[in-house]
């Protein structure tokens, strides 16, 4: 009988397979990005239906196969259900999942990236924080974890924007979302993060395109 392996992580991608199954991509602390099949997860009443959805965070019990895992069960500690009630927040969160999928690798310690993802999704649920600030902090810290950043902003900025940049680089995920910025400083900070992205990330993100379209419609209204 195969031994059950327990991994802590978050579901970052879900796709249907066959008539009743799902293919999951899970970012795990211990094994990095893994693929797991949830057999029967699309069948009404199946115990895997609720746990095999994006943003589900907890401890997953899996059987390891040659190229993938089979999901047996999970102890989910946070479904982030409130995020589903906020279309804008869901779009930001979906972009975070897509960026993490881009950065994560198999068979590597992903503790830092998983903590960043978890704290960033939590931050989207805090009314006091602007979603754009959460996005830019998340992007910069993700690049920092991958070694793709500069110690100082890529262009001259105000002292406040410079401090925000240095703070994000140096702070652990648990302390990232403890500050706010004025509209003017946020604009400076965002511009610098965007410049850093264009320098290091050569990819378009579908979820970000949807988010940008939504923001443009929101401005027009």
């Amino acid at each position: 009988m195969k031994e059950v392996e327990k991994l802590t992580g978050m579901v970052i991608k879900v796709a249907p397979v066959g008539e009743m199954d799902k293919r999951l991509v899970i970012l795990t602390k211990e094994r990095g990005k893994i693929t797991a099949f949830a057999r029967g997860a699309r069948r009404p009443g199946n115990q895997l239906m609720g746990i095999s959805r994006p943003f589900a965070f907890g401890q997953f019990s899996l059987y390891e196969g040659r190229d993938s895992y089979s999901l047996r069960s999970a102890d989910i500690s946070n479904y982030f259900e409130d995020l589903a009630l906020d279309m804008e927040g869901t779009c930001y969160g979906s972009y975070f999942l897509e960026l993490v999928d881009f950065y994560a690798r198999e068979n590597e310690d992903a503790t830092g990236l998983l903590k960043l993802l978890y704290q960033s999704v939590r931050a989207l649920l805090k009314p006091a924080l602007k979603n754009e600030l959460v996005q830019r902090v998340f992007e910069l810290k993700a690049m920092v974890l991958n070694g793709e950043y500069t110690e100082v902003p890529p262009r001259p900025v105000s002292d406040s924007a410079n401090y925000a940049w240095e703070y994000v680089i140096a702070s652990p995920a648990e302390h990232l979302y403890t500050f706010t910025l004025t509209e003017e400083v946020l604009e400076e900070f965002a511009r610098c993060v965007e410049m850093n992205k264009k320098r290091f990330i050569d990819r378009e993100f579908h979820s970000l395109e949807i988010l940008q379209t939504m923001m443009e419609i929101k401005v027009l209204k």
Side-chain angles (χ1 to χ4, degrees):
M1 185 174 179
K2 290 184 179 180
E3 186 176 344
V4 175
E5 187 168 356
K6 295 188 175 182
L7 303 175
T8 299
M10 182 183 289
V11 178
I12 61 173
K13 186 186 290 186
V14 178
V17 175
E19 293 185 3
M20 294 295 174
D21 302 340
K22 287 183 180 181
R23 177 183 179 274
L24 313 181
V25 177
I26 307 172
L27 177 66
T28 69
K29 179 176 69 174
E30 303 88 351
R31 294 290 190 93
K33 184 170 66 172
I34 66 168
T35 297
F37 287 91
R39 312 293 179 185
R42 296 167 64 200
R43 184 181 294 115
N46 186 281
Q47 64 167 350
L48 300 182
M49 178 181 281
I51 61 182
S52 54
R53 63 191 192 192
F55 301 108
F57 175 87
Q59 187 175 69
F60 296 84
S61 297
L62 310 115
Y63 294 115
E64 185 175 7
R66 181 177 298 177
D67 301 313
S68 63
Y69 289 81
S70 292
L71 179 61
R72 180 193 180 195
S73 62
D75 180 13
I76 303 299
S77 58
N78 199 335
Y79 286 99
F80 291 102
E81 293 170 317
D82 290 345
L83 198 63
L85 304 175
D86 177 6
M87 181 61 72
E88 183 179 315
T90 299
C91 286
Y92 275 98
S94 297
Y95 167 54
F96 294 176
L97 298 185
E98 193 176 355
L99 185 58
V100 162
D101 184 40
F102 170 73
Y103 268 134
R105 298 290 180 268
E106 296 179 6
N107 297 315
E108 66 175 22
D109 186 322
T111 301
L113 195 57
L114 181 61
K115 283 184 177 180
L116 172 62
L117 178 60
Y118 183 80
Q119 294 298 337
S120 299
V121 176
R122 283 187 64 198
L124 290 174
L125 298 172
K126 296 180 179 180
L129 291 175
K130 293 179 181 178
N131 286 338
E132 186 184 1
L133 174 60
V134 178
Q135 174 195 344
R136 296 308 186 175
V137 169
F138 171 78
E139 290 172 332
L140 178 55
K141 194 64 176 181
M143 289 185 282
V144 168
L145 291 173
N146 207 53
E148 299 176 338
Y149 70 103
T150 55
E151 291 289 343
V152 296
R155 55 173 289 165
V157 293
S158 65
D159 289 344
S160 296
N162 187 72
Y163 176 78
W165 184 276
E166 293 178 348
Y167 181 83
V168 171
I169 289 175
S171 297
E174 296 84 351
H175 298 155
L176 281 177
Y177 300 104
T178 56
F179 69 94
T180 59
L181 299 175
T182 64
E183 197 68 44
E184 184 179 352
V185 175
L186 175 56
E187 188 176 323
E188 283 186 283
F189 181 69
R191 194 177 298 119
C192 289
V193 175
E194 190 63 28
M195 289 177 68
N196 203 71
K197 275 176 58 185
K198 288 179 178 178
R199 178 180 177 184
F200 291 108
I201 302 178
D202 182 22
R203 175 175 168 172
E204 299 296 326
F205 295 92
H206 179 64
S207 53
L208 187 57
E209 293 173 1
I210 294 174
L211 178 60
Q212 289 170 341
T213 300
M214 179 179 289
M215 293 298 99
E216 289 170 3
I217 293 173
K218 186 177 178 180
V219 170
L220 291 175
K221 288 183 177 180

